[in-house]
Amino acid sequence: MYNKLQYISQGETIEEQLYNIHQALDAGCNWVQMRFKNHTPKDTFTLAEAVKPLCEEYLANFIVNDDLHLAEQIASDGVHLGLTDTKIDEARAILGTTKIIGGTANTFEDIENHVKNGCDYIGLGPFRFTNTKEKLSPILGLAGYFDILEKVKKNKLQIPVYAIGGITLRDVGPLMETGIYGIAVSGIITESEEREKLIQQLNEKLYANIVA
């Protein structure tokens, strides 16, 4: 079973990224998606090379954002692919069956295609406007999640769906009611002065309906 809370890394430099990732892991986050856009392949590799043992130390999943070949090269736990990145089935052919492949979605049709092509989890969004992503897809809001997740259920598609995009602590309860599996967040954790407390609160809401 996948962790219900994903941290998408932030930071303009290798040092900032490493600091933020280390802080998130230290505070109890067990899933890191390394997102380091618009940097040289050398710098991105250097960062990934440092993040991998860090995640191993904390027994956390290490997912590389967008860069399939880096994920293969560094032997990360998997890769997350955007709608305009490498196709899911192509990634599966390269990475094999043991690696985790996530895919971004904005519509039910996106999810349907990802499931058909062997995707392991979906990042569905954006929930609301966020500065962390350029060329933002249409904003879904709660109504959008209810509508799409209802179609997922109706079509009997079995795949963990994560909400993403400007999510705050108070959003988690209402979002879980739509039928999502978990959330993927960045700024809320990066900018928190009480990360450990925040991650505990997020997990309490994410796992509230699970019977022990």
mmCIF file of all heavy atoms in Angstrom, residues 18-28 189 195 199:
data_model
loop_
_atom_site.group_PDB
_atom_site.id
_atom_site.type_symbol
_atom_site.label_atom_id
_atom_site.label_comp_id
_atom_site.label_asym_id
_atom_site.label_seq_id
_atom_site.Cartn_x
_atom_site.Cartn_y
_atom_site.Cartn_z
ATOM 1 N N LEU A 18 18.029 19.759 -1.224
ATOM 2 C CA LEU A 18 18.464 18.778 -0.232
ATOM 3 C C LEU A 18 17.999 19.143 1.171
ATOM 4 O O LEU A 18 17.559 18.287 1.938
ATOM 5 C CB LEU A 18 19.995 18.647 -0.250
ATOM 6 C CG LEU A 18 20.578 17.685 -1.280
ATOM 7 C CD1 LEU A 18 22.094 17.716 -1.253
ATOM 8 C CD2 LEU A 18 20.068 16.267 -1.046
ATOM 9 N N TYR A 19 18.092 20.429 1.492
ATOM 10 C CA TYR A 19 17.648 20.897 2.811
ATOM 11 C C TYR A 19 16.152 20.618 2.992
ATOM 12 O O TYR A 19 15.727 20.056 4.004
ATOM 13 C CB TYR A 19 17.929 22.389 2.966
ATOM 14 C CG TYR A 19 17.378 22.964 4.260
ATOM 15 C CD1 TYR A 19 18.060 22.795 5.460
ATOM 16 C CD2 TYR A 19 16.156 23.652 4.277
ATOM 17 C CE1 TYR A 19 17.541 23.293 6.656
ATOM 18 C CE2 TYR A 19 15.632 24.151 5.456
ATOM 19 C CZ TYR A 19 16.335 23.968 6.650
ATOM 20 O OH TYR A 19 15.808 24.456 7.823
ATOM 21 N N ASN A 20 15.355 20.998 1.993
ATOM 22 C CA ASN A 20 13.897 20.829 2.086
ATOM 23 C C ASN A 20 13.492 19.353 2.146
ATOM 24 O O ASN A 20 12.584 18.975 2.896
ATOM 25 C CB ASN A 20 13.204 21.521 0.912
ATOM 26 C CG ASN A 20 13.275 23.027 1.000
ATOM 27 O OD1 ASN A 20 13.366 23.595 2.091
ATOM 28 N ND2 ASN A 20 13.251 23.705 -0.140
ATOM 29 N N ILE A 21 14.155 18.528 1.344
ATOM 30 C CA ILE A 21 13.860 17.096 1.339
ATOM 31 C C ILE A 21 14.229 16.474 2.689
ATOM 32 O O ILE A 21 13.454 15.702 3.264
ATOM 33 C CB ILE A 21 14.592 16.383 0.179
ATOM 34 C CG1 ILE A 21 13.949 16.782 -1.159
ATOM 35 C CG2 ILE A 21 14.565 14.861 0.353
ATOM 36 C CD1 ILE A 21 14.746 16.370 -2.379
ATOM 37 N N HIS A 22 15.399 16.838 3.188
ATOM 38 C CA HIS A 22 15.851 16.308 4.477
ATOM 39 C C HIS A 22 14.880 16.705 5.593
ATOM 40 O O HIS A 22 14.531 15.891 6.463
ATOM 41 C CB HIS A 22 17.260 16.817 4.793
ATOM 42 C CG HIS A 22 18.010 15.936 5.736
ATOM 43 N ND1 HIS A 22 19.367 15.951 5.867
ATOM 44 C CD2 HIS A 22 17.572 14.992 6.614
ATOM 45 C CE1 HIS A 22 19.740 15.070 6.772
ATOM 46 N NE2 HIS A 22 18.668 14.480 7.245
ATOM 47 N N GLN A 23 14.432 17.966 5.556
ATOM 48 C CA GLN A 23 13.485 18.458 6.560
ATOM 49 C C GLN A 23 12.162 17.685 6.501
ATOM 50 O O GLN A 23 11.593 17.325 7.532
ATOM 51 C CB GLN A 23 13.216 19.952 6.340
ATOM 52 C CG GLN A 23 14.390 20.867 6.669
ATOM 53 C CD GLN A 23 14.693 20.912 8.156
ATOM 54 O OE1 GLN A 23 13.814 21.139 8.967
ATOM 55 N NE2 GLN A 23 15.947 20.680 8.505
ATOM 56 N N ALA A 24 11.680 17.438 5.291
ATOM 57 C CA ALA A 24 10.420 16.704 5.120
ATOM 58 C C ALA A 24 10.554 15.271 5.630
ATOM 59 O O ALA A 24 9.666 14.753 6.315
ATOM 60 C CB ALA A 24 10.003 16.707 3.651
ATOM 61 N N LEU A 25 11.656 14.625 5.301
ATOM 62 C CA LEU A 25 11.899 13.256 5.761
ATOM 63 C C LEU A 25 12.010 13.206 7.282
ATOM 64 O O LEU A 25 11.439 12.332 7.938
ATOM 65 C CB LEU A 25 13.182 12.700 5.128
ATOM 66 C CG LEU A 25 13.137 12.396 3.628
ATOM 67 C CD1 LEU A 25 14.541 12.179 3.087
ATOM 68 C CD2 LEU A 25 12.270 11.171 3.348
ATOM 69 N N ASP A 26 12.745 14.149 7.819
ATOM 70 C CA ASP A 26 12.961 14.230 9.260
ATOM 71 C C ASP A 26 11.649 14.439 10.020
ATOM 72 O O ASP A 26 11.488 13.991 11.148
ATOM 73 C CB ASP A 26 13.929 15.379 9.569
ATOM 74 C CG ASP A 26 14.887 15.018 10.689
ATOM 75 O OD1 ASP A 26 15.179 13.831 10.867
ATOM 76 O OD2 ASP A 26 15.330 15.944 11.402
ATOM 77 N N ALA A 27 10.721 15.127 9.358
ATOM 78 C CA ALA A 27 9.430 15.429 9.986
ATOM 79 C C ALA A 27 8.417 14.292 9.835
ATOM 80 O O ALA A 27 7.310 14.372 10.343
ATOM 81 C CB ALA A 27 8.857 16.719 9.400
ATOM 82 N N GLY A 28 8.797 13.242 9.106
ATOM 83 C CA GLY A 28 7.926 12.076 9.022
ATOM 84 C C GLY A 28 7.330 11.781 7.663
ATOM 85 O O GLY A 28 6.452 10.920 7.529
ATOM 86 N N ILE A 189 4.408 22.038 3.071
ATOM 87 C CA ILE A 189 5.442 21.426 3.908
ATOM 88 C C ILE A 189 6.716 22.252 3.890
ATOM 89 O O ILE A 189 7.302 22.527 4.936
ATOM 90 C CB ILE A 189 5.715 19.970 3.465
ATOM 91 C CG1 ILE A 189 4.505 19.086 3.816
ATOM 92 C CG2 ILE A 189 6.984 19.416 4.120
ATOM 93 C CD1 ILE A 189 4.609 17.653 3.361
ATOM 94 N N ARG A 195 6.932 21.487 10.754
ATOM 95 C CA ARG A 195 6.696 20.420 9.778
ATOM 96 C C ARG A 195 6.220 19.119 10.418
ATOM 97 O O ARG A 195 5.323 18.459 9.906
ATOM 98 C CB ARG A 195 7.976 20.156 8.971
ATOM 99 C CG ARG A 195 8.358 21.288 8.021
ATOM 100 C CD ARG A 195 9.583 20.913 7.204
ATOM 101 N NE ARG A 195 10.043 22.031 6.410
ATOM 102 C CZ ARG A 195 10.886 22.966 6.859
ATOM 103 N NH1 ARG A 195 11.334 22.888 8.103
ATOM 104 N NH2 ARG A 195 11.263 23.965 6.088
ATOM 105 N N ILE A 199 2.738 17.404 9.383
ATOM 106 C CA ILE A 199 2.668 16.080 8.746
ATOM 107 C C ILE A 199 1.825 15.130 9.594
ATOM 108 O O ILE A 199 1.047 14.323 9.054
ATOM 109 C CB ILE A 199 4.088 15.533 8.480
ATOM 110 C CG1 ILE A 199 4.715 16.319 7.313
ATOM 111 C CG2 ILE A 199 4.064 14.036 8.162
ATOM 112 C CD1 ILE A 199 6.171 16.043 7.058
#
